[in-house]
Amino acid sequence: MAGERTAPGRIERLVDAGKSVIPPLTLLSALLFYFGYVSARAKYEYFGVDVDTIGLGTQDYVMRSPQPLLTPLLVFTAAGLGAVAVHALVRQRIRTTARMRRLGRGVQAAGLSALIGGLLLLVGYVFLRDWPLYGLVTPLLIAVGGVLYQYGTAIRLPPRTPGDAPPASSLHRSFVVLVYLVIAVSVFWMTATVAQWSGRGLAMYEASRLDKLPSVILDTKESLFLRSPGVQETKLPLSDGQTFHYRYRHLRLLIHGKDRMFLVPDQWSASNSTIIVPLDGSVRVQFQFQNRRP
């Protein structure tokens, strides 16, 4: 009987623990999916392909997210460590309350200046949206300004003892929450911009090394009238039962979607085009060996 009474309690505790873990995991998965999608969209847009036509799934985008997120994570980690070191140095060097307050006012002024600069850039979006660095500089100014302002406010306050009540009013707490929300949104914006740049950089790197992609020989029933330079079209000899009449060489596999393949010429050119090949029996595909002789 005792075991029957305790069993439901254990199950309830496990369910509660699961509820506390699932929302963060869901949020993390959503963020990984988003940044992977932004990076993939920028990458395949370089080749003239809308990523939504490829048919990638959620897992595909999540697997592509570490590459664009690596640099922001390293930068934010290094910035956090640097901020902790600077704060410890400030506390060690400046011991008087008056000097700490003066420093706090200076840091607040610097933060407000950065915030105003970021907001001016935000207001001028219509005129500055074509600036390549707009998507990075604007959120960076806003985030740095918010962090500096909050830090300046914190170091201006006198040190509290354990028995002191929090002096902040509800209005002040709401203001602090809004500042942190603005910082979080700005960091999200910066990370999305870096993910977009990462995708474009991967595309340019891949385009400069198209010979590293899998080599494809494509047979079709009708001529594709390809205009991309370097792609070789030959007519196959007529024979009984032969349904494929044209062969194309010097093609590379860019990506394999759900039910189609995306092929590009093996040499980059501004006049190239990406070929969408459905995998429904209307074409015949051969992959050529890329390895050294054994």
Side-chain angles (χ1 to χ4, degrees):
M1 295 296 290
E4 293 178 359
R5 293 194 194 98
T6 57
R10 292 177 181 175
I11 294 176
E12 290 175 0
R13 287 195 297 272
L14 289 174
V15 171
D16 292 338
K19 289 180 180 178
S20 63
V21 172
I22 289 175
L25 288 178
T26 304
L27 177 61
L28 178 62
S29 299
L31 290 175
L32 292 177
F33 170 83
Y34 175 77
F35 293 124
Y37 176 84
V38 170
S39 178
R41 186 174 188 85
K43 176 181 178 180
Y44 294 109
E45 188 178 44
Y46 183 83
F47 294 98
V49 178
D50 186 347
V51 72
D52 294 328
T53 64
I54 299 177
L56 299 176
T58 302
Q59 185 177 358
D60 298 314
Y61 290 121
V62 171
M63 294 295 291
R64 284 169 167 78
S65 61
Q67 176 72 27
L69 288 179
L70 181 61
T71 299
L73 288 176
L74 291 175
V75 171
F76 293 149
T77 303
L81 293 174
V84 171
V86 170
H87 177 70
L89 184 63
V90 168
R91 288 294 185 184
Q92 182 180 4
R93 295 292 182 87
I94 303 178
R95 300 182 181 275
T96 61
T97 304
R99 292 182 63 186
M100 190 65 72
R101 287 179 177 176
R102 285 197 299 270
L103 177 62
R105 285 194 294 269
V107 174
Q108 278 184 319
L112 282 175
S113 300
L115 274 172
I116 292 172
L119 292 176
L120 288 176
L121 288 175
L122 196 62
V123 172
Y125 170 76
V126 177
F127 307 100
L128 300 172
R129 59 186 174 185
D130 294 330
W131 182 31
L133 298 178
Y134 180 86
L136 183 66
V137 174
T138 303
L140 180 62
L141 285 176
I142 295 175
V144 171
V147 170
L148 289 178
Y149 183 83
Q150 280 302 113
Y151 179 69
T153 303
I155 63 177
R156 284 185 62 186
L157 296 176
R160 290 169 50 193
T161 59
D164 291 342
S169 63
S170 59
L171 181 61
H172 178 72
R173 286 195 295 269
S174 300
F175 176 77
V176 172
V177 170
L178 288 175
V179 171
Y180 284 130
L181 180 61
V182 168
I183 294 173
V185 172
S186 300
V187 170
F188 182 86
W189 185 1
M190 280 191 294
T191 308
T193 300
V194 173
Q196 187 177 14
W197 289 358
S198 174
R200 180 56 64 92
L202 286 173
M204 297 177 70
Y205 178 83
E206 214 165 79
S208 66
R209 294 165 175 80
L210 291 173
D211 58 327
K212 303 299 182 182
L213 298 177
S215 180
V216 175
I217 298 176
L218 177 66
D219 294 343
T220 63
K221 298 178 181 180
E222 299 178 353
S223 175
L224 300 179
F225 298 101
L226 299 180
R227 298 182 178 179
S228 298
V231 178
Q232 180 185 358
E233 177 189 274
T234 56
K235 259 192 170 184
L236 298 175
L238 297 177
S239 61
D240 294 338
Q242 176 66 266
T243 59
F244 298 100
H245 306 295
Y246 295 89
R247 172 163 292 177
Y248 295 90
R249 296 179 180 272
H250 304 294
L251 292 172
R252 301 281 173 165
L253 175 64
L254 177 63
I255 188 172
H256 179 275
K258 183 178 181 181
D259 54 358
R260 63 193 70 182
M261 299 170 61
F262 294 80
L263 307 179
V264 293
D266 60 4
Q267 293 183 354
W268 187 89
S269 171
S271 59
N272 278 347
S273 58
T274 301
I275 308 167
I276 303 177
V277 178
L279 299 178
D280 56 1
S282 61
V283 297
R284 182 170 59 194
V285 177
Q286 303 176 55
F287 290 94
Q288 292 182 289
F289 285 108
Q290 300 291 317
N291 303 323
R292 293 182 179 180
R293 183 180 180 88

